[in-house]
């Protein structure tokens, strides 16, 4: 026997109400999870990028940077050097405004630090390319690092083809950048030159994206050279955590001083190289021009490479102020 009409209507209203409550609960839960745990809703590619950026917050152990403090470590204690690095970075995320913090110092050695354990000193270097160093060596209990904000940490490779401006990545490759900063203090860039140049061929488009089903070389879309300063003994650069190689990436080959500038996105190279900087996009036309320099084919360990008939020499200098780039 069918229920009376009014009872049927009540049952239907109750059902619709419960359905509405269920949908509302799901929406609220989704919004909460998106805000509280944003990575849960992101695609795997962005997740990988987040992990990569998270890794890129490193410093150099047994080094104490000096300089004016903008946040006193005695009143600011953290659990790790990465947290200290991120705290400095947070003071740099202010758009076009100058960075309030461009260096940090952390004490994380339980045996050496004593009451200083966990202290995170945030500092402001007057010249980021020439940071003040108070002490270094095995007995130093501090770990220090640099953060380069907008317009900071830029060097220039000056050649007959033009000036290649490179933004350095001290948070990703602190040891590599320390070597470059040491180079800037040298009087002469010994034998600094590009000697290999290979364009993108038909394997990559003008933006550096790989063309489907095309080979990965030859040519290999790069220019290769050497960075070494007379009077400064070269020490092998350790492998460092850093971004993947994209168009404009500047990376060591092995432990240096051989290096390359990539003219394309090389996802196939994985983490084979330490990336310590990136050429400013406006200057990539200069790198492309060097790659088109007359060359001859040689075979290196069964790999065909293009060696420039005449190497392109360059000097290295630091850019003190962003206006110098104009």
């Amino acid at each position: 026997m069918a229920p009376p009409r009014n009872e049927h209507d009540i049952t239907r209203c109750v059902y619709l109400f419960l359905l509405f409550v269920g949908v509302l609960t799901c929406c609220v839960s989704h919004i909460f999870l998106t805000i509280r745990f944003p990575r849960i809703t992101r695609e795997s590619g962005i997740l990988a990028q987040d992990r990569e950026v998270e890794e890129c917050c490193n410093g150099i152990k047994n080094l104490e940077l000096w300089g004016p403090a903008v946040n006193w470590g005695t009143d600011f204690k953290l659990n790790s050097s990465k947290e200290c690095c991120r705290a400095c970075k947070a003071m740099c995320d202010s758009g076009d405004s100058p960075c309030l913090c461009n260096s940090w110092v952390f004490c994380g050695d339980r045996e050496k630090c004593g009451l200083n354990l966990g202290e995170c000193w945030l500092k402001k270097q007057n010249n980021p390319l020439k940071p003040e160093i108070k002490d270094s060596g095995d007995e130093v209990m501090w770990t220090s690092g640099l953060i380069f904000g907008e317009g900071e940490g830029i060097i220039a490779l000056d050649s007959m083809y033009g000036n290649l401006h490179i933004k350095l990545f001290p948070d990703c490759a602190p040891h590599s950048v320390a070597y470059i900063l040491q180079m800037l203090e040298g009087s002469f860039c010994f034998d600094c030159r590009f000697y290999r140049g290979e364009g993108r061929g038909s394997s990559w488009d003008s933006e550096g994206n790989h063309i489907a089903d095309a080979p990965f070389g030859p040519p290999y879309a790069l220019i290769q050279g050497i960075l070494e300063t007379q009077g400064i003994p070269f020490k092998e650069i350790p492998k460092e955590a850093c971004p993947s190689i994209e168009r404009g990436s500047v990376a060591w080959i092995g432990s240096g001083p051989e290096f390359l500038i990539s003219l394309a996105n090389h996802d196939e190279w994985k983490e084979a190289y330490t990336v310590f900087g990136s050429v400013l996009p406006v200057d990539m036309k200069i790198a492309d021009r060097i790659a088109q320099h007359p060359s001859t084919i040689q075979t290196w360990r069964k790999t065909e490479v293009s060696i420039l008939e005449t190497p392109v020499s360059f000097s290295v200098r630091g850019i003190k102020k962003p206006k110098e780039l104009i």
Side-chain angles (χ1 to χ4, degrees), residues 8 16 20 24 35 50 57 64 68 112 135 139-140 147 151 165 250 260 267 270 280 288 295 313 323:
H8 176 75
L16 291 174
F20 171 77
L24 180 62
I35 297 174
D50 283 350
C57 218
E64 183 180 6
K112 296 179 181 179
D135 202 2
E139 298 304 316
V140 177
I147 299 294
H165 294 95
V250 186
L260 64 83
D267 295 334
K270 307 296 182 182
L280 300 189
D288 289 329
S295 61
S313 299
K323 67 180 181 181

Side-chain angles (χ1 to χ4, degrees), residues 80-119:
S80 68
S81 60
K82 284 187 180 293
E83 290 184 13
C84 188
C85 172
R86 293 181 194 129
C88 185
K89 273 189 175 183
M91 299 180 72
C92 244
D93 297 336
S94 54
D96 296 331
S97 301
C99 276
L100 300 177
C101 172
N102 56 20
S103 60
W104 54 271
V105 179
F106 177 77
C107 200
D109 191 312
R110 291 187 175 275
E111 295 183 2
K112 296 179 181 179
C113 291
L115 296 177
N116 300 112
L117 183 65
E119 287 186 5

Side-chain angles (χ1 to χ4, degrees), residues 2-277:
R5 183 177 181 81
N6 60 345
E7 183 178 342
H8 176 75
D9 291 342
I10 293 173
T11 301
R12 184 174 61 179
C13 288
V14 171
Y15 173 77
L16 291 174
F17 174 76
L18 292 176
L19 179 62
F20 171 77
V21 171
V23 172
L24 180 62
T25 301
C26 289
C27 292
V28 171
S29 298
H30 175 75
I31 294 173
F32 172 78
L33 288 173
T34 302
I35 297 174
R36 180 65 181 86
F37 305 105
R39 293 183 181 179
I40 293 178
T41 61
R42 295 178 182 177
E43 296 178 358
S44 59
I46 299 179
L47 271 171
Q49 186 178 18
D50 283 350
R51 287 193 293 268
E52 185 174 77
V53 171
E54 185 176 349
E55 288 178 359
C56 280
C57 218
N58 303 312
I60 298 177
K61 293 182 178 180
N62 308 125
L63 172 68
E64 183 180 6
L65 291 179
W66 206 234
V70 296
N71 200 348
W72 288 68
T74 51
D75 304 319
F76 189 55
K77 294 194 174 186
L78 299 174
N79 295 320
S80 68
S81 60
K82 284 187 180 293
E83 290 184 13
C84 188
C85 172
R86 293 181 194 129
C88 185
K89 273 189 175 183
M91 299 180 72
C92 244
D93 297 336
S94 54
D96 296 331
S97 301
C99 276
L100 300 177
C101 172
N102 56 20
S103 60
W104 54 271
V105 179
F106 177 77
C107 200
D109 191 312
R110 291 187 175 275
E111 295 183 2
K112 296 179 181 179
C113 291
L115 296 177
N116 300 112
L117 183 65
E119 287 186 5
C120 173
W121 292 78
L122 305 182
K123 302 185 177 186
K124 176 72 173 179
Q125 299 291 327
N126 293 324
N127 183 355
L129 291 178
K130 193 175 181 180
E132 295 183 58
I133 298 177
K134 183 180 181 182
D135 202 2
S136 63
D138 293 339
E139 298 304 316
V140 177
M141 62 187 182
W142 302 95
T143 295
S144 298
L146 294 170
I147 299 294
F148 291 153
E150 189 73 21
E152 291 184 333
I154 296 175
I155 64 170
L157 308 186
D158 298 338
S159 75
M160 62 181 292
Y161 287 94
N163 305 329
L164 283 167
H165 294 95
I166 297 172
K167 173 79 170 185
L168 299 176
F169 299 158
D171 49 342
C172 291
H175 292 278
S176 301
V177 172
Y179 170 72
I180 299 299
L181 299 188
Q182 190 179 20
M183 282 189 66
L184 297 180
E185 298 179 4
S187 58
F188 180 66
C189 188
F190 174 71
D191 207 23
C192 287
R193 71 195 191 282
F194 292 110
Y195 57 83
R196 177 185 176 189
E198 304 187 17
R200 295 184 300 276
S202 57
S203 296
W204 292 272
D205 63 23
S206 60
E207 295 181 353
N209 300 309
H210 185 253
I211 297 172
D213 300 324
F216 290 101
Y220 293 98
L222 60 84
I223 56 176
Q224 182 174 331
I226 186 168
L227 270 172
E228 189 171 11
T229 301
Q230 188 177 32
I232 300 178
F234 182 81
K235 296 181 180 179
E236 291 188 353
I237 307 290
K239 186 73 171 65
E240 302 185 271
C242 44
S244 57
I245 292 187
E246 301 176 347
R247 176 170 165 79
S249 293
V250 186
W252 297 117
I253 297 174
S255 300
E258 308 284 330
F259 79 108
L260 64 83
I261 295 178
S262 178
L263 306 182
N265 303 324
H266 284 291
D267 295 334
E268 76 279 11
W269 287 351
K270 307 296 182 182
E271 299 178 357
Y273 304 98
T274 291
V275 177
F276 61 87

